Amino acid sequence: MTASTPSTPSTPSAPPRIPAAPAAPAHAVPAAPVRSGRIRVAPAARALARAALAARPVGLQDVPAGARLLDRYARCYLVPARTFLEVAADLTAPDRDGPFRALSVGGRRWFRYRSVYYDTPGLRAYHDHRRGLPQRCKIRERLYQDTGERQFEIKVKGSRGQTVTHRRRLADGAPALDEVSRGFLARTLSGAYGPDFEVPRDLTPCFTTEYTRATFVAEGGRITADSDIVCRDAAGGEVRAVRDLVLVETKSHGHHPTPADLLLHQRGHRAADFTKYAALAALNRSLPAHRWHHALRETFPATV
C-alpha cells in the first residue's frame, strides 16, 4: 500500500533553532503540558526535530527501493537524546558517503503515530513473543495521525528470522477487524507458517501506543527514532517513557551491523531486547516479562 505523493521541501541552509516555546504550526514539536505559562518540550522530541531539520529531506516517492524494508532485520536501542543527536549528525552529514536523509511528507519531517494492538483474551501473541517462538505474529491497526491514513498490519517471522510486515489500507470509518481484514490475516499467517498454523480468534484491542517518529533513509538502510512514547491499556492505565529517551531502530536487509549500529556501539550502547509490546508488562505487573525487565526499567522506571 502506498501513501499519496508528498511534496518535498527545499533543504534548509542551516539547522534552524527550535525555541523553547515554539509557535505551534500543524507539525510543531510535540509539547508537554503547559506549566507556569510556558510550553515544556521533552528533550527527546526536541532532538528528533533538530536531527530531522538538519538533514536533507527526501519525499516518500523518492525513498530508495532498498530502504522500504518491509522484509528486514531490526535492532532497538534506548539512548539519551544527546547521543541520538550525535549519531544522527554523523549519519546525515552532507560530506558522508551515502548520507541518510530525513523523510518528508507534505513538508513534515516528524509524525504522530497511534497503534492499536489486537490479541486474544489470554494474550497469545504477547506470550508467543515473550517466549521468542519462531512462529508468532503481531496484529495491529496503525493510524498516521497527521494524515488520517489507517493501515491494518501483521508482522510475522520469515524463514531466516527476519521480520516481514504485511499490510492493507483501511477505508475511512471501516472497522480494523472486518471480514476482509480477518481473511487477510488468515491468508497471511497460512502463507507464512503453513495451513496448520492456528489463526488467533476472538481478537480484541489489548493496548494502544502513541509516539512521535522521525525516519531517516539511505540505500539499503532505514532508521526510525521515536520519542514521547505513551502506552494505554483497555482499563485506562497509562505509562509514559522517560522524556530524555529516544527509541532508535536500525533496519536493514542483513545481519551485519549497520553504520548506525557501529556508531551506537562506539558510544557504549548495545541493542536492547525491547519491543513496544513489552509495555503490556509495565501496564500489568502481573504479566511475566523477565527478558524485557532491564529495558522496561530503563524506559518506564516509575512502573517497574
Side-chain angles (χ1 to χ4, degrees):
M1 304 296 171
T2 56
S4 57
T5 302
S7 61
T8 304
S10 59
T11 305
S13 57
R17 177 180 178 274
I18 301 176
H27 59 289
V29 181
V34 176
R35 297 181 181 178
S36 304
R38 298 186 64 187
I39 298 176
R40 301 180 64 230
V41 180
R46 186 183 298 278
L48 258 63
R50 287 188 183 278
L53 289 170
R56 292 179 57 197
V58 59
L60 193 61
Q61 76 279 11
D62 296 320
V63 170
R68 299 187 185 275
L69 293 172
L70 292 179
D71 182 328
R72 70 201 182 213
Y73 295 92
R75 298 179 179 89
C76 294
Y77 297 85
L78 301 166
V79 301
R82 178 176 294 184
T83 300
F84 165 70
L85 275 174
E86 292 172 355
V87 171
D90 191 318
L91 293 170
T92 61
D95 58 351
R96 183 183 181 89
D97 182 24
F100 280 77
R101 292 182 287 172
L103 181 65
S104 175
V105 180
R108 304 170 188 267
R109 300 196 197 183
W110 54 92
F111 313 90
R112 290 294 298 169
Y113 285 64
R114 182 175 187 269
S115 295
V116 180
Y117 287 78
Y118 292 86
D119 210 334
T120 65
L123 297 179
R124 171 186 161 185
Y126 170 84
H127 290 295
D128 285 355
H129 197 71
R130 175 181 62 81
R131 296 184 182 109
L133 298 187
Q135 294 186 351
R136 61 183 189 262
C137 64
K138 290 181 184 175
I139 304 163
R140 72 187 180 196
E141 173 193 355
R142 169 165 283 179
L143 169 65
Y144 298 85
Q145 292 182 285
D146 298 297
T147 64
E149 180 182 332
R150 298 164 60 222
Q151 297 274 1
F152 180 69
E153 297 187 340
I154 307 159
K155 285 189 172 184
V156 299
K157 282 295 177 182
S159 58
R160 303 184 309 279
Q162 78 277 28
T163 298
V164 184
T165 301
H166 302 264
R167 57 172 57 139
R168 63 174 294 263
R169 189 163 184 166
L170 294 169
D172 292 344
L177 279 172
D178 58 12
E179 289 187 14
V180 178
S181 289
R182 290 181 185 276
F184 176 63
L185 173 64
R187 291 192 301 275
T188 298
L189 295 181
S190 295
Y193 302 135
D196 294 332
F197 183 80
E198 183 183 355
V199 178
R201 309 292 181 185
D202 301 322
L203 294 168
T204 58
C206 61
F207 81 111
T208 300
T209 65
E210 293 185 5
Y211 51 94
T212 298
R213 168 170 290 185
T215 299
F216 303 87
V217 299
E219 184 59 54
R222 189 180 189 97
I223 300 164
T224 58
D226 299 343
S227 72
D228 298 307
I229 301 170
V230 182
C231 303
R232 301 181 179 91
D233 61 19
E238 176 182 290
V239 292
R240 291 178 176 268
V242 174
R243 286 165 50 82
D244 185 50
L245 184 82
V246 180
L247 172 59
V248 178
E249 289 189 66
T250 64
K251 303 170 184 181
S252 65
H253 289 293
H255 280 295
H256 297 297
T258 69
D261 292 310
L262 296 176
L263 287 172
L264 286 162
H265 295 172
Q266 291 170 11
R267 288 164 173 78
H269 292 278
R270 291 295 182 267
D273 193 350
F274 182 75
T275 168
K276 292 187 179 76
Y277 225 139
L280 267 177
L283 288 159
N284 181 354
R285 296 178 66 178
S286 68
L287 287 174
H290 300 296
R291 63 177 290 190
W292 296 319
H293 183 75
H294 179 77
L296 286 171
R297 185 172 55 192
E298 188 173 356
T299 308
F300 308 108
T303 63
V304 180

